[in-house]
């Protein structure tokens, strides 16, 4: 809801430091297309891009994630970024859960949503042992259809108590450590501690 903590920590030249290095994923409300922003004219432009990247439009419905095609939203429900007048943006995860970054050899994707199939490119709960009615691709992300994932999605969108968020953090740290060990073993190298 508020980015004041992040904004307070950002140096005055944050936009210059981020140019070409930071990719901010947003969804174009008009077309539903995923857009990666990586050029920021001012610090305020960078802040608006970050704000848009985590903005959920009021008319969002969880079923938007399972419909074919990318969801679109009224322009009035998005966040305007001065560099792109006439267009408004919302959370990039609405159109592409983890967008591919063409400039990178490997993109490591981090999500709280489980999938039983292991992947070198994903840090996520394994989903093994969870009852599921199958798997489906949502916003470019393979997802096990399980009650546990519905709970994780609910927490991601609506938040949770500090105690629950601490548990999510601890679970994520374990998932990241397991990923590092598995990738290190697969490549015959020692995994770095995370």
């Amino acid at each position: 809801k508020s980015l004041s903590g992040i904004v307070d920590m950002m140096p005055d030249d944050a936009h210059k430091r981020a140019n070409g290095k930071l990719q901010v994923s947003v969804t174009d409300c008009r077309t539903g297309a995923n857009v990666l922003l990586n050029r920021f004219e001012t610090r305020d432009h960078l802040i608006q891009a970050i704000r848009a990247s985590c903005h959920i439009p009021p008319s969002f419905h969880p079923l938007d994630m399972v419909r074919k095609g990318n969801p679109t939203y009224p322009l009035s429900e998005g966040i305007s970024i001065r560099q792109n007048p006439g267009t408004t943006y919302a959370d990039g995860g609405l159109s592409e859960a983890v967008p591919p970054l063409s400039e990178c050899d490997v993109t490591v994707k981090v999500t709280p949503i489980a999938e039983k199939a292991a992947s070198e490119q994903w840090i996520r709960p394994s989903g093994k042992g969870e009852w599921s009615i199958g798997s489906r691709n949502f916003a470019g992300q393979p997802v096990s259809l399980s009650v546990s994932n519905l709970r994780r999605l609910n927490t991601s969108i609506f938040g949770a108590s500090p105690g629950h968020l601490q548990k999510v953090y601890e679970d994520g740290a374990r998932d990241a450590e397991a990923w590092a060990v598995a990738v290190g073993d697969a490549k015959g190298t020692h995994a770095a501690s995370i």
Side-chain angles (χ1 to χ4, degrees), residues 7 11 53 87 119 128 132 184:
V7 170
S53 77
T87 303
S119 170
K128 292 178 181 167
S132 155

Side-chain angles (χ1 to χ4, degrees), residues 97 103 168 177:
E103 298 85 24
V168 169
E177 191 68 37

Side-chain angles (χ1 to χ4, degrees), residues 1-11 14 43 47 50-51:
K1 293 187 177 190
S2 172
L3 296 177
S4 61
I6 292 173
V7 170
D8 292 344
M9 291 187 297
M10 290 174 86
R43 182 175 181 269
I47 292 166
I50 294 169
R51 182 171 281 125

